[in-house]
Amino acid sequence: MTKMRQTPAASQLAELHVERLAAIEAASGPVYAIPSEYPAGYHVKPHNHSRAQFVYARAGVVMVSSVQGRWMVPPQHALWIPAGLVHTVDMLGEVSMLSAYVLPDVLSDPPSAIRVVAVSDLARALIIEAVAPVAEARTGRRELVMALLLEEVLRLPDRPLGLPFPSDQRLANLCRGFLDNPSARLVIDDWAERLAMSRRAFTRFFRKETGISLSTWRQQAAVFTALPRLAGGETVTAVALDLGYDSVAAFTTMFRRMLGAAPRSYFKTGEQSSS
């Protein structure tokens, strides 16, 4: 596992964040890359930047929130945040992150929406190299690293770790209530009835508001809830039963379908690649 360095106090971190935002805006190169360390529970207040941000969670779990929804970045994943988007950041556990801030016009067709992606071995090596102190990197070599990093970022596979939120307040309240008490037994008819809609009308309405079906949203919410707990060392059995799954096997099947690996092997893979 990546060894965490001693992090400053919350007041010092707030000052550092203001200084960091100023440095990002003052940077002249197409890509500005920096490392950051945060203690568990630290909250970064609403902010934005004129550059897009590619943030890699090297250790810990990061949660980014905006009016569009919430996105979770567990270890060995990264998040693309479009330029100008106001967002907050919460640290679930001690966090070590590496960020590359990219000028909007550097890429011919940059992603316009937030994306959670799985980080390849190449992307991981490149962003680690990108945040190395300038004095330790030759200028020409550094430019090549940054250029290749941008190429690799666009090729990384999406992961369903975003949770879109509806703009309709009634539906948003139902979604937030579900996150407070998630369950595998969510019934479409119950939500439709609470909004005084037929099942068919509600299904169309939910997809229009979020872009996905309620079934898919529920599974993403389950992963969203499970990952911080699993990363914190809780057993798969405890998490699966708390989420209302009838068996560990049923939860594992859902988890594998969403993230491509069973819960136990998912985190073992991340530990091995970051050691």
Side-chain angles (χ1 to χ4, degrees):
M1 289 289 291
T2 301
K3 185 178 180 179
M4 296 295 297
R5 296 190 293 273
Q6 187 68 34
T7 53
S11 58
Q12 293 176 296
L13 283 169
E15 293 177 3
L16 286 172
H17 183 67
V18 172
E19 294 174 2
R20 187 176 294 119
L21 289 176
I24 293 167
E25 298 305 318
S28 57
V31 181
Y32 178 73
I34 52 174
S36 305
E37 306 283 339
Y38 294 98
Y42 186 75
H43 173 74
V44 180
K45 295 180 179 180
H47 66 286
N48 66 352
H49 16 76
S50 62
R51 293 170 177 252
Q53 181 183 5
F54 179 74
V55 54
Y56 163 54
R58 199 174 185 186
V61 178
V62 178
M63 185 166 69
V64 175
S65 304
S66 77
V67 294
Q68 300 175 7
R70 297 177 182 177
W71 292 262
M72 186 171 292
V73 193
Q76 311 312 315
H77 287 72
L79 185 73
W80 174 271
I81 304 174
L85 180 68
V86 177
H87 59 281
T88 63
V89 186
D90 290 279
M91 314 303 163
L92 309 179
E94 290 188 330
V95 168
S96 174
M97 67 169 69
L98 309 179
S99 294
Y101 296 88
V102 184
L103 285 175
D105 57 358
V106 171
L107 300 174
S108 58
D109 187 23
S112 59
I114 289 184
R115 296 175 60 219
V116 181
V117 296
V119 175
S120 64
D121 290 341
L122 176 58
R124 183 182 304 110
L126 289 169
I127 195 165
I128 290 173
E129 188 67 24
V131 301
V134 176
E136 297 181 10
R138 298 195 305 268
T139 302
R141 181 175 183 275
R142 192 177 188 82
E143 291 176 352
L144 290 173
V145 167
M146 297 299 191
L148 184 54
L149 174 61
L150 292 180
E151 288 292 326
E152 185 66 8
V153 163
L154 297 179
R155 297 168 56 90
L156 298 177
D158 289 312
R159 289 291 182 259
L161 296 173
L163 203 61
F165 265 67
S167 57
D168 181 87
Q169 192 59 49
R170 300 171 303 159
L171 188 54
N173 288 339
L174 289 177
C175 290
R176 291 190 179 93
F178 181 83
L179 284 178
D180 291 337
N181 187 26
S183 172
R185 299 184 178 90
L186 188 156
V187 179
I188 293 179
D189 291 334
D190 292 343
W191 281 30
E193 183 178 350
R194 293 176 67 176
L195 294 188
M197 293 181 177
S198 68
R199 179 188 178 95
R200 184 174 182 181
F202 175 82
T203 299
R204 291 178 175 176
F205 180 62
F206 191 92
R207 185 177 289 277
K208 178 182 178 182
E209 285 284 317
T210 64
I212 57 178
S213 68
L214 179 58
S215 176
T216 299
W217 190 92
R218 176 186 59 76
Q219 291 178 354
Q220 291 182 353
V223 172
F224 202 86
T225 302
L227 273 173
R229 295 179 60 180
L230 294 170
E234 293 191 44
T235 66
V236 177
T237 299
V239 173
L241 295 179
D242 282 352
L243 290 176
Y245 282 85
D246 294 329
S247 66
V248 173
F251 172 76
T252 298
T253 298
M254 180 280 295
F255 193 98
R256 183 185 290 112
R257 183 171 62 249
M258 299 296 285
L259 293 179
R264 292 186 179 90
S265 60
Y266 181 85
F267 284 100
K268 286 180 181 179
T269 299
E271 290 172 4
Q272 292 168 355
S273 61
S274 61
S275 59

